[in-house]
Amino acid sequence: MSENNIPKSYAGFTIGPIYDVLSHARKTREMWFGSYFFSWFMEKMIESLAANNDIKFLVPYVANPFQPNNSITGKYHDRFIIYSSMGKDTLYDKIRNVSDEALEYFVCLIDKLIGSSSAKYISEINKDGIKTILAGYIQRNFVVLEPSAVTQSEIVKSISSYLDSMEENRFFNTGIVANTCFICKTLPSVIEAEIWVKKGAEEDKKEKNNLCPLCFIKYFCFKSDDIKKKVNIPDWYPPVLDISAGELLTDDIKKINPIFKDYEKDYDFKDIEAAVEKSTIKPFHKYLAIVQADGDNLGEVLKQYTNPDDIAVKFSKPLLDFAREAELVINSYKGYPIYIGGDDILAFMPVAFKGSDGNTKTVFDLAVELSDKYREIVDKKQGKTSLSIGINIAYYKYPLSRAMHDTREQLFVKAKAGSKNALAMLLTKHSGHQIGFKFRFNTREIEIFSKLLSETLAGKIQIPHSLHHNLSRFKTVIAHIPDEDRLNAFFENNFNEPEHSKYYQGIDVVANYFKKVMLCEPEDNRINCVEEILSKLAFIKFLRGEK
């Protein structure tokens, strides 16, 4: 930056409405590109701005030279904050022009896809119609400030407060009822295209329907050469069952069953059952795990850094480093990220799978590993920031938009409640019955549960099928047991039949769980604690395939 590196202006930019676009997705592919669209938009803006030596980034960290993202994972957050030696008006014009250029890029991308496919514009509509809709719907809000308007000891917080206010007052134009998009039912439709439509109990049918620009490109993204070149992958973002039951669908199975290679038409679990050995199928293969994570108390970390260079290098760069590691961890658990923007993560995962070592790995193990990585890379084990995680495990036919809503609730209502640094999980079974529970990371309980889970799934210990049922019957009695001796007596008296003999080790481990966790709770909270433990044991039953 010229002129002795003295900032003449600061700016913040935010884009949206991301959650609204994701909420209209019916397929994992649509949700992926709905998110990737915004990440790519921000990347194009950041790349253009970073090429100017008079502009420096505070958030996110931007390497020099700029490194484009050629991963299927969206890497750019919905905000950036910069400072510049340009004057306020000059920087304002620069950001506006770069934003308009990015918008024009995506208008041309959609127009090109229409031209190369069987889709067509609705009569009297053309490329300009796409631009009008995107310009009105994509919320590109930014603020440019002189240094005197920014609290120098809290630069990021000061600018973020303006962006927060802008996000709370967003608006856009919706379509006329008769001409709204068939999928989102929100924006005006401009394109006629043939898409697969679910018909309830009937077979899915391909029909011509009118779509808005965003729903069109989300649905047909797999047909775009430009998008394929951008993400540089041999296959597209997989459907739900490719993720939840991926370990069953080997290359050989896919080779002899073309239905598993059709990017547009969904297949059903019965197609998997017809193609693989029945003995290899587990109940959890019908369930998708959605993982969402968010950093806690990052403001406390930011307070340590008032110098702009320190904010970029000591705050933003560790978040970028964590994002890279998190992607590797998620991939190692056979998962597929939607986005990883620093401390923000959204990914689709199998509930469990058998690793190369023969041991079963679960989405619970993934959460613990992500938390540990965050503490190591971002917090540097100082205890100032942590990662809270929400996980929703939903049946493969469960509406994706509803499953996403439940995931957000697990994260922002459950996990981030109280002292945060927590994992909240929800399992919605095919019957509609829900099992929910919560852990605090870095506690004795999560270590005990992790060991119980891994040893049970590995077959090192066995738990009787009736254990959970019997404990549930006596949950009020258990909650009023005052000490270890009486708790030991309870387990000895209730699980002393001959058929329990081969389960003694497993019963002892569960009894120890109650001792270490329930007996440490205040008496007025023990019934809640017992119910939580029972929910966690029910989760293990689910993974073992028990009803």
Side-chain angles (χ1 to χ4, degrees):
M1 185 181 292
S2 59
E3 299 189 33
N4 299 318
N5 293 329
I6 298 175
K8 288 186 178 179
S9 55
Y10 291 88
F13 183 97
T14 176
I15 194 170
I18 299 176
Y19 183 69
D20 287 354
V21 172
L22 297 189
S23 68
H24 298 138
R26 304 171 307 161
K27 301 173 182 287
T28 52
R29 176 182 75 240
E30 294 174 15
M31 186 165 289
W32 163 71
F33 192 75
S35 172
Y36 198 88
F37 170 87
F38 289 100
S39 175
W40 194 358
F41 196 110
M42 294 295 277
E43 180 183 357
K44 293 201 73 65
M45 287 190 64
I46 289 170
E47 182 177 12
S48 296
L49 293 171
N52 191 314
N53 291 328
D54 291 329
I55 295 174
K56 299 296 181 186
F57 280 80
L58 295 173
V59 180
Y61 179 80
V62 178
N64 187 14
F66 181 82
Q67 298 173 355
N69 174 30
N70 295 120
S71 162
I72 197 171
T73 305
K75 299 287 181 65
Y76 288 90
H77 198 261
D78 60 351
R79 290 183 175 187
F80 65 70
I81 295 175
I82 59 178
Y83 64 104
S84 175
S85 58
M86 297 178 181
K88 177 182 172 182
D89 293 340
T90 305
L91 183 59
Y92 181 94
D93 290 340
K94 180 66 176 176
I95 295 173
R96 183 186 59 193
N97 291 339
V98 165
S99 173
D100 288 343
E101 288 168 5
L103 184 75
E104 183 64 29
Y105 176 85
F106 289 101
V107 170
C108 293
L109 184 73
I110 295 170
D111 179 68
K112 183 177 178 182
L113 182 55
I114 295 169
S116 62
S117 67
S118 59
K120 64 179 182 179
Y121 284 109
I122 296 172
S123 60
E124 299 184 6
I125 295 177
N126 55 28
K127 179 180 172 182
D128 292 338
I130 294 176
K131 187 171 183 176
T132 299
I133 291 172
L134 292 188
Y137 185 66
I138 304 302
Q139 306 292 290
R140 299 168 291 153
N141 304 122
F142 64 98
V143 61
V144 182
L145 303 166
E146 294 177 345
S148 59
V150 177
T151 304
Q152 292 300 308
S153 60
E154 295 181 316
I155 297 172
V156 173
K157 182 179 179 181
S158 181
I159 297 172
S160 293
S161 65
Y162 286 95
L163 300 181
D164 291 341
S165 178
M166 290 175 173
E167 289 180 359
E168 290 172 2
N169 293 283
R170 283 174 167 166
F171 68 94
F172 56 85
N173 296 322
T174 57
I176 300 170
V177 175
N179 298 316
T180 51
C181 172
F182 174 79
I183 294 178
C184 70
K185 305 291 192 296
T186 302
L187 294 178
S189 53
V190 295
I191 303 156
E192 182 186 82
E194 200 171 37
I195 63 173
W196 285 98
V197 177
K198 291 189 178 297
K199 293 290 184 179
E202 300 177 32
E203 281 286 317
D204 295 355
K205 291 184 179 178
K206 213 169 190 182
E207 297 178 349
K208 287 183 178 179
N209 282 289
N210 294 339
L211 306 177
C212 71
L214 283 174
C215 287
F216 169 75
I217 195 168
K218 286 191 296 178
Y219 185 94
F220 288 103
C221 61
F222 68 97
K223 290 190 174 183
S224 169
D225 291 335
D226 293 299
I227 298 173
K228 189 168 186 177
K229 181 180 177 181
K230 168 64 178 170
V231 297
N232 191 29
I233 55 169
D235 294 310
W236 288 98
Y237 202 93
V240 168
L241 289 175
D242 262 37
I243 302 171
S244 67
E247 67 177 348
L248 302 177
L249 300 175
T250 63
D251 290 339
D252 289 340
I253 292 291
K254 288 186 174 184
K255 192 178 297 182
I256 61 177
N257 293 273
I259 191 171
F260 299 130
K261 297 292 287 183
D262 188 334
Y263 293 126
E264 193 172 353
K265 187 178 187 299
D266 292 336
Y267 59 88
D268 195 79
F269 201 83
K270 64 184 179 183
D271 298 309
I272 295 178
E273 292 174 325
V276 306
E277 280 288 333
K278 294 274 195 301
S279 61
T280 62
I281 299 174
K282 305 293 184 185
F284 57 73
H285 285 138
K286 293 184 178 182
Y287 289 79
L288 177 72
I290 306 177
V291 178
Q292 189 168 7
D294 185 62
D296 303 319
N297 307 319
L298 279 169
E300 293 301 309
V301 180
L302 263 173
K303 286 180 181 178
Q304 303 174 91
Y305 311 117
T306 56
N307 180 281
D309 289 337
D310 285 344
I311 293 172
V313 175
K314 296 180 181 180
F315 175 77
S316 296
K317 189 173 185 301
L319 288 171
L320 176 64
D321 294 339
F322 168 70
R324 289 171 177 156
E325 287 295 316
E327 184 175 24
L328 294 175
V329 171
I330 289 169
N331 289 341
S332 74
Y333 279 82
K334 311 297 183 186
Y336 291 84
I338 295 286
Y339 61 74
I340 307 179
D343 64 311
D344 289 338
I345 296 172
L346 179 63
F348 291 144
M349 308 292 305
V351 175
F353 70 98
K354 187 161 286 189
S356 56
D357 58 1
N359 291 325
T360 299
K361 294 185 177 182
T362 73
V363 69
F364 172 82
D365 303 316
L366 165 80
V368 173
E369 192 166 340
L370 286 175
S371 171
D372 290 344
K373 285 287 183 186
Y374 186 89
R375 288 177 61 239
E376 175 189 334
I377 297 171
V378 180
D379 183 55
K380 296 179 173 58
K381 299 185 178 180
Q382 294 181 20
K384 292 182 180 294
T385 180
S386 55
L387 191 71
S388 286
I389 301 176
I391 297 177
N392 179 31
I393 298 171
Y395 191 65
Y396 77 100
K397 289 186 176 181
Y398 198 72
L400 200 53
S401 59
R402 182 65 204 176
M404 273 298 304
H405 175 273
D406 292 344
T407 308
R408 284 177 62 85
E409 188 172 81
Q410 289 304 299
L411 173 60
F412 293 107
V413 178
K414 304 289 178 63
K416 292 180 82 72
S419 52
K420 306 177 183 179
N421 187 31
L423 163 64
M425 294 184 70
L426 177 69
L427 166 62
T428 303
K429 303 185 82 172
H430 181 35
S431 63
H433 177 64
Q434 291 189 322
I435 300 169
F437 50 89
K438 178 178 174 178
F439 288 99
R440 287 262 303 159
F441 286 116
N442 317 119
T443 59
R444 177 66 176 145
E445 183 190 5
I446 204 166
E447 290 177 8
I448 294 171
F449 181 82
S450 182
K451 187 171 185 291
L452 172 62
L453 177 63
S454 62
E455 290 186 348
T456 302
L457 295 179
K460 294 179 181 178
I461 62 172
Q462 297 183 63
I463 298 175
H465 299 313
S466 61
L467 179 69
H468 180 269
H469 173 70
N470 287 332
L471 292 176
S472 298
R473 287 171 52 216
F474 294 109
K475 63 182 181 182
T476 304
V477 173
I478 296 170
H480 287 88
I481 293 176
D483 54 48
E484 281 195 26
D485 289 340
R486 296 189 191 186
L487 190 60
N488 286 334
F490 170 84
F491 274 90
E492 288 171 5
N493 291 333
N494 285 279
F495 302 100
N496 58 3
E497 300 297 329
E499 63 265 25
H500 293 138
S501 59
K502 66 177 181 179
Y503 300 114
Y504 281 153
Q505 185 180 1
I507 293 170
D508 285 344
V509 172
V510 173
N512 186 59
Y513 192 167
F514 278 91
K515 293 175 195 174
K516 300 295 184 183
V517 177
M518 185 201 73
L519 291 179
C520 295
E521 286 290 314
E523 288 187 16
D524 60 354
N525 192 49
R526 285 191 181 176
I527 187 65
N528 292 330
C529 181
V530 170
E531 289 175 344
E532 275 268 311
I533 294 174
L534 290 173
S535 293
K536 292 162 187 174
L537 294 177
F539 178 64
I540 295 178
K541 281 184 64 178
F542 165 72
L543 290 177
R544 289 166 60 199
E546 298 175 22
K547 295 183 178 180

